[in-house]
Amino acid sequence: MDRKERALAAVAALKEAYPDAVCALQYKKDYELMISVRLSAQCTDARVNQVTPALFERFPTLESFAEADVAEVEEYVKSCGFYRHKARDIVLACQMLRDVYGGVVPDTMDALLKLPGVGRKTANLLLGDIYHKPAVVCDTHCIRITNKLGLAKGKEPEKVERQLWEILPPEESSDFCHRIVLHGRAVCTARAPKCANCCLAGFCESFTGV
């Protein structure tokens, strides 16, 4: 089984195991997803989902975020870690959305990467979830599991992303990444993977040694 065949097998197995490929972050507006993803850096999605309801209630519009006092935003997001940087990026990004992009989260990688605090992982997630474009979101789960499967090599997100672009069907790429996260939390955990219960075990290089 070559890498492309292994990728197709993984896509099919994960689709059966996790038919609902959804982002764990809770949001109602496009820019709220951008904010939530920024907060999720080195923080759990569960924690972010605890923080954002009060944050979004206090700042209910893009304009209110763009006009926000960074120090006040810091107080709302403090429990997410690195809160000073995150609060600053949130306000600056919302200002840029308002002033440069007409209040709309842009739909291209180049434009998204110009937003403060937005890197390739965030940009790919926004492109996939908001615009339903092909996207490869390389978070820690994706990197760890695709390395175990033999789909990618290395721990640098951008290098892993490039390798996955080569073998994933574009129309499946975004959902595949969501399902990998679900699988990484439920089965293929970092500390104690449940290989005996894994739908990917039959073609996982780490498990089979092949």
Side-chain angles (χ1 to χ4, degrees):
M1 186 178 281
D2 64 23
R3 285 175 58 241
K4 197 153 195 175
E5 291 169 335
R6 199 182 298 264
L8 292 174
V11 166
L14 290 171
K15 187 182 290 190
E16 183 174 351
Y18 309 95
D20 298 321
V22 294
C23 178
L25 295 168
Q26 297 168 2
Y27 67 99
K28 294 179 180 177
K29 303 171 184 176
D30 293 352
Y31 70 84
E32 289 179 351
L33 178 58
M34 177 195 73
I35 291 169
S36 292
V37 180
R38 181 66 187 98
L39 292 175
S40 71
Q42 295 178 286
C43 178
T44 65
D45 289 349
R47 168 60 62 182
V48 173
N49 287 336
Q50 291 174 0
V51 166
T52 50
L55 178 67
F56 295 153
E57 183 178 1
R58 172 63 184 87
F59 303 102
T61 64
L62 177 66
E63 181 69 25
S64 62
F65 270 111
E67 296 295 332
D69 181 343
V70 172
E72 185 178 2
V73 177
E74 288 176 2
E75 291 303 311
Y76 280 89
V77 305
K78 187 170 285 187
S79 65
C80 292
F82 301 98
Y83 64 96
R84 295 189 191 280
H85 293 295
K86 292 178 180 181
R88 179 200 62 201
D89 286 343
I90 286 168
V91 173
L92 290 175
C94 287
Q95 289 174 353
M96 192 169 184
L97 288 181
R98 179 194 62 186
D99 299 339
V100 179
Y101 296 124
V104 177
V105 174
D107 64 352
T108 68
M109 176 65 73
D110 288 345
L112 286 166
L113 290 177
K114 293 176 182 177
L115 293 167
V118 173
R120 290 192 65 85
K121 184 184 83 169
T122 299
N124 271 303
L125 192 146
L126 295 174
L127 290 172
D129 278 42
I130 296 174
Y131 294 107
H132 308 294
K133 292 187 173 185
V136 176
V137 182
C138 278
D139 73 340
T140 54
H141 294 291
C142 179
I143 293 169
R144 183 182 76 255
I145 296 173
T146 56
N147 268 259
K148 281 178 171 289
L149 290 170
L151 301 181
K153 292 183 179 179
K155 296 183 178 180
E156 294 182 41
E158 194 165 343
K159 289 184 178 179
V160 172
E161 180 189 335
R162 286 200 300 268
Q163 293 173 67
L164 294 179
W165 276 118
E166 295 172 353
I167 57 175
L168 287 174
E171 69 278 7
E172 299 284 357
S173 57
S174 180
D175 286 347
F176 172 83
C177 293
H178 281 316
R179 291 180 174 119
I180 278 281
V181 171
L182 296 173
H183 192 65
R185 290 173 178 161
V187 179
C188 191
T189 57
R191 293 183 180 177
K194 305 174 183 68
C195 297
N197 300 322
C198 181
C199 62
L200 307 177
F203 45 87
C204 173
E205 279 191 355
S206 178
F207 183 72
T208 65
V210 178

